[in-house]
Amino acid sequence: MAEVVLKNAVKAYGTHPAVKGINLKIEDKSFVALVGPSGCGKSTTLRMIAGLESISYGEISIGGEVVNDLPSRKRGVSMVFQSYALYPHMTVRKNLSFGLRITGVAKDEIERRVAFAADVLELGPYMDRKPANLSGGQRQRVAMGRAIVREPKVFLFDEPLSNLDAKLRNQMRVEIKKLHQRLHNTIVYVTHDQVEAMTMADVIVIMRDGYIEQVGAPLDVFNRPANKFVAGFIGAPQMNFFDGTVVAGGVTINGFDGIFPIDPARFNLPAVGRPVTIGLRPEDIVPFGHGVQPERPVEFEASVPLSESLGNESILFAETGTVSFAARMQQPRAVAEGEILTFEADTGKIHLFDQDSGSTLRRDPD
Amino acid sequence: MAVDLSTLDYGAIARTEARRNRENKGVFVLMMVLSIAWLAPFYYLIVSVLKSPAEYVASHPLALPSGIMPLFANVTDAWVEARMGFGVLNSLLYGVVGAGVAVFIAIMAAHGLARYRYSGRTFWFMLIFAGTIFPFQMYLIPLFFTYLELGLLDTRIGMILFYTAICIPFPVLVMRNYLTQMSSEMDEAARMDGCSEFRLFFSIILPNCKGPFIALFLLQFTWIWNDLIFSTVLTQRVEVRSVMSTLQVFQGAYADVSQTVVMAASLLASLPTVVLFFVLRRHFMQGLQVSSN
Ligand SMILES: Nc1ncnc2c1ncn2[C@@H]1O[C@H](COP(=O)(O)OP(=O)(O)OP(=O)(O)O)[C@@H](O)[C@H]1O
Ligand SMILES: [Mg+2]
């Protein structure tokens, strides 16, 4: 049993709170990703769990035991650092076994665990090298090996892949996922890369400015963002946001003629004439004939002054009147600068947010 | 658009390159002159120790020697006349213990100053750092009277204490910079691995300071070895004197020794630091750059 529970956890540096009262329950054996923009307190939260930062207020428990006053070595957690933090003067083998040796684990037990980690991470050929003679990806694996041999209840990762190139990052993403499937430890994984969070985690925690904005399964967070911030943070390219107004039977984008019909069973619509923020993802505004035909489309024309071709798809930056937006073009063709295309917006995929608070207007059971 | 290599004006290219080289040549000549000026005293030393006293007087001081055999007589004379045995042993003792202990203490201090956060750590650093900014001669008189009071004057332990103390501040400065640049995540990893603070220092930090340790040891050893003024003032007995103050028997109105013997003694006295430098050269060069992860 190694669930991690944070109750009103606060971290203050002097008078400046970096983590502002977080409540979070991380289930046993789950893979939880903490995401959020730089400086939002992800690392601080992780380091509080690790025991590398004191807990200013509130309570953190691991496996049912309150750990506020336990030193990190007694918490049953291992951490993989962004810089790997390998011991430069030790060989890979020594790096792996160091923690076990100094805590008095029996010799054959050390050998068994080191051999297991070396096997899982395919470190065999490098065991007698020093970290300076390893590639970035190999160092990364040694860092993970060092975490594995301690057989922790909880693995903590702080942006472990951010020093790798894109290709290696994809590869390591898969390896970490496999590791989780094989070892079944609880994993808390900090990243600012939402692709990593979406693809690896069972649960995503989106943080902003020391608070948690939303907790949920990746698709849940993607399809039902709790507020405008989460909607904008998850998904690339970013969701389009429009200033809109409530009209009879739906909403309209200011400066645009069409009406988007809204099912009042799904949204708490403000009174007619009130402002709302409308959100539509680029893949839900489709150039006619390129991509999925929306079920309930609103059709309109827009010019495309700029497009980015990615090969398998293009991102079109389009304008109509005073409204500009990004759209995703599947089965792409070359688009001339300023070309006018017909777009279909999928009203079924629309997101509505309160203009002041940014909270979603979606009714809970969808 | 590929360059058509057959149509390039190679003459013009060569002239441009040559102009660049000429600028370098000026620098080269300057370097040569400086090198010769720098090497001239060494040349004088080498040719002198290879001459017998009679040959030295007869020939021009910079003339080449006729053989190498007088070297042995000169060296033996120097060693016996000045009783250099004591001096060399004492200086070795002072240098190895003084520099070794000083650099070790400096690394401990720098570890505390660079890798822990507490209020007042800048103050403590400035206090230690202050030890490097005053001229050492300033300490001479107070030190003399204090040592007189404490009975440390003219003792080996007094010399070791003094050399150790005076060799601490500069290494603290260097090591603090070095340790500040070392990843603090490594400490955290070690703590999570179960290290106590002492274990962290001895098993993780200290082994990673090998390079700068050697470099600083070498610098401080050389300083102690070459020190004349403190050794002269704080010691009198030949059994306690360092090698440099031992050489002083050759100076002064009553000294009746050939210049060739003096030179041989100087050569002997400077040999250990030179040897040490060559043995540890590789570490010395690498020592002051921070090894990254
Ligand atoms: N030792 C410290 N002293 C003072 N403030 C700190 C300290 N460490 C972090 N902070 C502040 O706490 C806030 C959260 O920092 P944290 O490192 O948790 O951010 P993060 O979400 O991990 O960001 P990033 O994605 O850039 O790593 C930041 O505003 C940061 O400036
Ligand atoms: Mg961080």
Side-chain angles (χ1 to χ4, degrees):
Chain A
M1 268 304 293
E3 61 170 27
V4 179
V5 182
L6 291 86
K7 269 191 214 150
N8 292 321
V10 174
K11 176 68 200 181
Y13 292 109
T15 56
H16 167 79
V19 173
K20 300 173 182 170
I22 277 186
N23 287 293
L24 180 65
K25 186 171 174 192
I26 295 166
E27 303 284 346
D28 186 29
K29 299 187 173 52
S30 64
F31 193 135
V32 173
L34 302 184
V35 292
S38 190
C40 70
K42 309 178 292 283
S43 298
T44 307
T45 306
L46 195 75
R47 293 165 57 82
M48 280 158 78
I49 301 175
L52 297 172
E53 300 283 356
S54 61
I55 298 157
S56 308
Y57 180 84
E59 203 176 272
I60 294 183
S61 52
I62 299 173
E65 184 189 5
V66 176
V67 297
N68 284 38
D69 297 320
L70 274 189
S72 44
R73 62 176 182 273
K74 294 193 178 147
R75 292 190 183 190
V77 298
S78 303
M79 184 146 162
V80 177
F81 294 87
Q82 182 173 4
S83 69
Y84 314 140
L86 302 178
Y87 310 127
H89 59 299
M90 296 185 193
T91 61
V92 170
R93 186 186 307 282
K94 290 235 166 86
N95 261 285
L96 294 182
S97 61
F98 178 71
L100 303 178
R101 274 184 283 133
I102 63 171
T103 48
V105 176
K107 214 168 169 204
D108 45 352
E109 174 68 7
I110 295 179
E111 259 165 43
R112 185 188 68 74
R113 293 201 204 172
V114 169
F116 174 74
D119 175 51
V120 172
L121 295 163
E122 294 167 17
L123 289 171
Y126 320 115
M127 291 305 272
D128 296 311
R129 287 203 210 161
K130 295 220 174 128
N133 303 326
L134 297 176
S135 72
Q138 289 160 352
R139 282 178 212 176
Q140 166 69 62
R141 287 213 288 272
V142 177
M144 292 208 299
R146 194 171 58 182
I148 290 176
V149 292
R150 301 186 53 221
E151 301 191 340
K153 294 181 275 189
V154 183
F155 272 121
L156 307 172
F157 288 84
D158 193 353
E159 311 209 12
L161 306 185
S162 55
N163 288 337
L164 302 178
D165 63 46
K167 194 172 163 206
L168 208 51
R169 202 155 27 191
N170 292 344
Q171 193 181 324
M172 288 309 297
R173 222 159 61 197
V174 177
E175 283 196 33
I176 293 177
K177 191 73 197 158
K178 274 193 198 149
L179 197 68
H180 181 232
Q181 284 163 356
R182 181 155 173 189
L183 302 179
H184 290 300
N185 302 58
T186 310
I187 292 185
V188 187
Y189 188 103
V190 165
T191 176
H192 61 249
D193 180 348
Q194 47 128 342
V195 177
E196 272 175 31
M198 291 291 288
T199 52
M200 297 168 79
D202 312 320
V203 176
I204 297 186
V205 177
I206 296 122
M207 292 184 64
R208 172 169 62 158
D209 196 21
Y211 295 105
I212 290 181
E213 294 285 328
Q214 189 172 4
V215 179
L219 282 182
D220 198 32
V221 193
F222 184 82
N223 291 326
R224 300 157 42 79
N227 53 42
K228 190 179 161 190
F229 172 78
V230 173
F233 191 79
I234 300 289
Q238 214 195 1
M239 181 185 282
N240 297 295
F241 293 110
F242 306 100
D243 288 336
T245 310
V246 180
V247 295
V251 293
T252 182
I253 294 172
N254 300 345
F256 180 78
D257 307 333
I259 289 178
F260 295 85
I262 298 295
D263 178 0
R266 292 177 59 221
F267 289 96
N268 289 312
L269 264 190
V272 170
R274 301 287 301 165
V276 285
T277 299
I278 298 171
L280 268 171
R281 293 198 185 276
E283 50 271 32
D284 299 327
I285 309 178
V286 197
F288 185 78
H290 291 268
V292 190
Q293 170 81 40
E295 270 174 47
R296 283 173 288 164
V298 168
E299 234 182 72
F300 60 96
E301 285 190 337
S303 69
V304 182
L306 183 69
S307 65
E308 281 177 353
S309 174
L310 302 172
N312 59 342
E313 64 179 30
S314 293
I315 308 302
L316 309 181
F317 297 93
E319 290 174 357
T320 166
T322 57
V323 181
S324 52
F325 61 93
R328 181 171 257 154
M329 177 189 237
Q330 275 157 359
Q331 300 138 17
R333 65 171 177 82
V335 177
E337 192 183 313
E339 189 175 334
I340 296 187
L341 295 178
T342 303
F343 289 89
E344 291 179 318
D346 189 344
T347 54
K349 298 282 179 62
I350 204 164
H351 299 264
L352 295 180
F353 304 99
D354 185 281
Q355 190 144 46
D356 299 323
S357 70
S359 306
T360 185
L361 297 175
R362 189 186 301 275
R363 287 181 196 276
D364 245 339
D366 201 353
Chain B
M1 283 254 283
V3 175
D4 184 355
L5 290 177
S6 60
T7 61
L8 284 180
D9 181 355
Y10 287 100
I13 292 173
R15 277 192 296 281
T16 324
E17 299 276 329
R19 202 171 318 127
R20 262 181 227 146
N21 280 343
R22 259 197 301 284
E23 279 159 27
N24 291 344
K25 233 171 258 167
V27 175
F28 183 73
V29 169
L30 185 70
M31 300 297 252
M32 285 299 286
V33 172
L34 286 176
S35 305
I36 289 168
W38 185 256
L39 287 172
F42 292 99
Y43 171 80
Y44 171 66
L45 184 139
I46 299 293
V47 293
S48 299
V49 298
L50 295 174
K51 295 171 184 170
S52 68
E55 185 186 353
Y56 178 81
V57 176
S59 68
H60 187 274
L62 293 182
L64 283 170
S66 53
I68 61 163
M69 289 321 283
L71 173 68
F72 302 103
N74 286 336
V75 165
T76 318
D77 276 0
W79 189 267
V80 174
E81 290 275 333
R83 302 172 71 188
M84 279 183 73
F86 282 120
V88 168
L89 281 182
N90 284 332
S91 279
L92 270 179
L93 176 75
Y94 301 154
V96 171
V97 177
V101 172
V103 177
F104 177 73
I105 292 176
I107 294 178
M108 291 225 230
H111 176 67
L113 291 168
R115 301 180 82 76
Y116 293 93
R117 295 167 160 272
Y118 50 91
S119 62
R121 64 178 186 158
T122 315
F123 167 78
W124 289 111
F125 173 66
M126 292 315 281
L127 192 68
I128 299 173
F129 178 59
T132 62
I133 52 182
F134 299 111
F136 289 163
Q137 288 76 358
M138 224 178 74
Y139 307 134
L140 203 55
I141 306 301
L143 200 64
F144 178 83
F145 286 110
T146 312
Y147 266 35
L148 193 64
E149 201 99 322
L150 296 176
L152 288 170
L153 212 55
D154 210 13
T155 61
R156 287 210 178 94
I157 187 75
M159 292 312 286
I160 290 176
L161 277 178
F162 163 71
Y163 284 130
T164 305
I166 204 151
C167 285
I168 289 175
F170 175 69
V172 168
L173 175 70
V174 175
M175 289 313 302
R176 180 175 168 269
N177 285 345
Y178 182 84
L179 289 176
T180 306
Q181 287 170 50
M182 210 147 101
S183 150
S184 66
E185 290 193 339
M186 195 170 71
D187 296 21
E188 295 176 341
R191 288 196 188 106
M192 293 193 75
D193 259 348
C195 280
S196 65
E197 297 305 307
F198 274 94
R199 167 81 73 162
L200 169 70
F201 178 76
F202 285 104
S203 296
I204 306 292
I205 302 296
L206 199 54
N208 281 303
C209 292
K210 203 171 102 196
F213 185 103
I214 291 171
L216 288 166
F217 174 81
L218 204 58
L219 283 175
Q220 302 309 77
F221 177 89
T222 310
W223 187 85
I224 295 173
W225 186 270
N226 290 337
D227 168 60
L228 175 65
I229 183 163
F230 287 99
S231 166
T232 310
V233 172
L234 299 178
T235 61
Q236 268 154 18
R237 287 179 297 147
V238 71
E239 290 83 1
V240 183
R241 295 206 126 183
S242 74
V243 66
M244 288 303 155
S245 45
T246 307
L247 289 187
Q248 273 186 309
V249 301
F250 296 125
Q251 296 291 326
Y254 303 106
D256 176 26
V257 190
S258 163
Q259 201 61 26
T260 59
V261 177
V262 176
M263 286 295 129
S266 314
L267 184 67
L268 280 180
S270 50
L271 226 46
T273 47
V274 175
V275 170
L276 209 57
F277 176 77
F278 278 105
V279 172
L280 299 176
R281 185 180 40 175
R282 193 171 57 86
H283 299 283
F284 187 70
M285 301 300 194
Q286 291 169 353
L288 297 172
Q289 356 197 125
V290 176
S291 68
S292 75
N293 214 346

